[in-house]
Every structure is written in structure tokens, then in C-alpha cells.
Amino acid sequence: MASIDSTQEAVGLLKSYEKKGDILIVELEGELDHHFAGKARESLDRLLDDTSIRHLILNLKRLNFMDSSGIGVFIGRYKIIKNRGGEVCVTNMKPHVNKILELSGLYKILNPYDTVSQAVDGIRREVI
Amino acid sequence: MKIKNEMKLEFLSKSQNEAFARVAVAAFASQLDPTLEELADIKTAVSEAVTNAIIHGYDSSNEIVIINARLYDNCIDIEVIDYGKGIEDVELARQPLYTSKPELERSGMGFTVMETFMDKVEVSSAPGQGTKVRMIKYISIENTETERE
Ligand SMILES: Nc1ncnc2c1ncn2[C@@H]1O[C@H](COP(=O)(O)OP(=O)(O)OP(=O)(O)O)[C@@H](O)[C@H]1O
Ligand SMILES: [Mg+2]
């Protein structure tokens, strides 16, 4: 079992990340616009180089802003995870972030949950 | 309608200025006492238009992006202008999911976001000359009432 100690500090938009079995949990922070999208994409993809990861949970609790550049980042990571037969979940969305995700139709491919632990349970339930 | 206030911003088309531009316009708009949601809508729409000027209008060269904003009793009128490469077919560009740069992981949702979050969006553009996006957002009356008496 991964404990809280295994949570790694990360740089840029990635506040921290943690692996729970085949699930990668990443907490994003700050503002996901075009300026920060490149860094976010790069750091996420570096973590996803670990091919034992099948599912991705993005904790958006500290994501204060996002525009269509963020939509592109989410769709790109979804494609990677989908190829591995996994799912991408988003949790703790602020109202503005929720509005963008809804408007862009991203909830057709990303599964929303209130909390990370609910997302973990959701993924495990589907696996069983 | 009488103009209550007016401002103009000019900055280089550097991606660092995307945050600067949306925060500056939001700070200006807050004189109308908008709700947090209205403010977030304005920020996002400005971010979309400015990002488009930077990545589509000017590609990677550093040129000037201009924002003009006017405050009226119940709305803000914002223009985002670049003198970059322009748009050949504005109607096509405004379609949801249309992007000329799919290789950059763009989703083609920028104009759709602007249209959804603002009350009016006008695009004027000419190839080789540049693009002007004009957006109007009405601010809910309850917020401005006290100030307007
Ligand atoms: N200022 C501009 N100058 C030149 N072309 C533009 C400009 N703004 C938009 N366009 C054109 O309109 C298209 C659609 O813009 P839109 O913002 O909707 O999508 P995008 O920028 O391609 O992707 P996204 O905003 O979702 O990241 C762009 O791909 C581009 O071809
Ligand atoms: Mg755009």
C-alpha cells in the first residue's frame, strides 16, 4: 500500500504525485493556460513513461484557472491512458474549471469524482 | 450609452503575458462589481483571444498585442487586436473543434469558450493584416444597482 509518505513533490503545475498500484494520482496547481500547458504536458508524460501505470487521477483542487489550452492537455493524456485500457478521472473541480470541462464535452471521456478516494474506489470497482 | 471608463494595454506576444492580460482586464472589469463567475468568464475569454493572437496571429515572433476595454453602466466591451497573419475563413475558424494546429494539441474550442462565456463576440480579420476580436459581457444588474442610483 502506498502511504502518504510516497507522495512526491513535483515542479511547475504538478504539485505532487503518488502511485497506488497501477493508478497515478497527480495534483495540479496554479493556472493551466498556454504558457504552462507545455510544462504540464511534459511532466505528466514523463510520469506516464512508467508503463505499469494504467489509470490517471487528476486532482484539480488547487487548479485556479484553465482555458482551452488545458482542454488540449487533458485530451492528449486521455489518449495515452486509453491506449493502455485505463481511465482518466478528475476530482475536486472548482466551479470555473468545472464549467470549462462541461462546455468542452470532456466529461464524455473524463470521469468526474468529488474526491481522490472516490475516484480510486470507482476505478477499483470497474476492475472487479 | 455613456462610457464610464476606458483603458488600453499593449504588450509583446509572449506567453508570459497571457496571465498578465487576463488579470489586468479582470481588475479593470471589477469596477463594475461583477460576480466571481462573471469575472472568471471575462478572464477566460480574454485568455482565449490573447492566446490566439500569440500562437496563431504571430506564430513565434514577438509583436504587439493590443487590448482596448471600455466600461459602461452594465457591461464591459473588450477588443483584442493583433496585426498578424489573419484568418481566411472566420466562419470556419469559429466552428467548435476547428483548429489549424492539431499537431500542437489544440482542441479548437477557443472561440466556443469566448462565445459561451461572453454575451457578444465579433471577429473581424483579413489575411496578412490581422485580427480583431470584440467581446461584450453584461454584468448582472443587482450588482451594479447600488452604484447606479
Ligand atoms: N488571432 C488569430 N490570428 C490568426 N488565426 C486565428 C486567430 N485566432 C484564431 N485563429 C484561427 O482560428 C482557429 C480556431 O481558434 P480557436 O481558438 O477556436 O481554436 P485553437 O486556438 O486552434 O484551439 P484551442 O483554442 O482550443 O487551443 C485557430 O486554429 C486559427 O486557425
Ligand atoms: Mg485558441
Side-chain angles (χ1 to χ4, degrees):
Chain A
M1 268 288 278
S3 68
I4 230 22
D5 305 346
S6 72
T7 302
Q8 307 289 308
E9 287 294 318
V11 285
L13 226 65
L14 269 62
K15 182 171 165 50
S16 63
Y17 63 91
E18 178 189 0
K19 235 186 106 181
K20 272 194 173 160
D22 60 357
I23 305 175
L24 175 68
I25 303 163
V26 178
E27 183 173 357
L28 296 181
E29 92 178 326
E31 314 212 327
L32 186 46
D33 62 5
H34 161 243
H35 180 66
F36 287 108
K39 275 237 169 64
R41 183 178 290 131
E42 219 174 88
S43 343
L44 282 170
D45 286 357
R46 197 166 311 134
L47 293 174
L48 291 174
D49 278 344
D50 175 350
T51 49
S52 68
I53 293 165
R54 236 172 62 114
H55 306 283
L56 176 63
I57 298 174
L58 296 165
N59 180 357
L60 306 183
K61 188 178 170 182
R62 290 170 210 270
L63 189 67
N64 298 319
F65 177 86
M66 141 173 189
D67 62 19
S68 65
S69 304
I71 300 173
V73 172
F74 286 8
I75 294 176
R77 288 346 97 203
Y78 165 76
K79 286 181 180 158
I80 297 173
I81 291 294
K82 195 183 133 210
N83 269 331
R84 301 180 188 178
E87 60 180 284
V88 181
C89 304
V90 286
T91 73
N92 304 80
M93 290 75 74
K94 294 195 169 174
H96 157 75
V97 170
N98 182 53
K99 199 170 170 182
I100 291 268
L101 294 176
E102 218 158 55
L103 158 74
S104 58
L106 275 192
Y107 286 138
K108 282 181 212 138
I109 57 173
L110 308 179
N111 302 321
Y113 288 95
D114 289 339
T115 65
V116 169
S117 61
Q118 284 174 23
V120 172
D121 289 347
I123 291 170
R124 299 255 196 268
R125 210 170 304 130
E126 278 182 33
V127 170
I128 293 167
Chain B
M1 249 195 308
K2 223 179 95 224
I3 295 177
K4 283 175 72 173
N5 201 354
E6 194 169 357
M7 70 101 157
K8 177 173 180 161
L9 275 183
E10 285 191 20
F11 51 90
L12 279 184
S13 56
K14 288 176 176 290
S15 64
Q16 293 92 312
N17 287 332
E18 291 157 6
F20 163 70
R22 64 178 176 260
V23 169
V25 175
F28 185 65
S30 55
Q31 293 174 24
L32 292 179
D33 203 11
T35 62
L36 284 179
E37 184 178 8
E38 288 163 343
L39 215 50
D41 290 350
I42 292 168
K43 255 192 192 173
T44 316
V46 169
S47 195
E48 296 295 352
V50 169
T51 302
N52 280 352
I54 293 173
I55 57 182
H56 302 298
Y58 292 129
D59 267 311
S60 46
S61 62
N62 280 327
E63 316 260 348
I64 297 287
V65 179
I66 297 173
I67 297 183
N68 293 312
R70 289 187 192 90
L71 299 182
Y72 296 89
D73 274 346
N74 63 344
C75 71
I76 180 166
D77 184 338
I78 304 163
E79 289 173 346
V80 178
I81 301 165
D82 69 67
Y83 297 101
K85 80 165 186 256
I87 305 175
E88 292 225 3
D89 185 343
V90 170
E91 211 189 312
L92 174 68
R94 291 178 73 149
Q95 302 275 324
L97 303 179
Y98 173 81
T99 179
S100 54
K101 296 203 156 129
E103 73 283 0
L104 292 186
E105 269 189 0
R106 313 302 316 173
S107 64
M109 290 299 288
F111 276 126
T112 308
V113 168
M114 290 182 246
E115 283 163 8
T116 311
F117 286 15
M118 303 296 272
D119 294 297
K120 193 170 182 187
V121 178
E122 287 170 10
V123 183
S124 29
S125 187
Q129 288 180 37
T131 301
K132 176 163 90 182
V133 177
R134 179 173 177 223
M135 306 182 280
I136 294 173
K137 175 81 172 174
Y138 290 95
I139 301 304
S140 43
I141 300 295
E142 307 92 80
N143 303 318
T144 49
E145 225 164 39
T146 41
E147 222 195 329
R148 295 201 305 164
E149 24 189 68

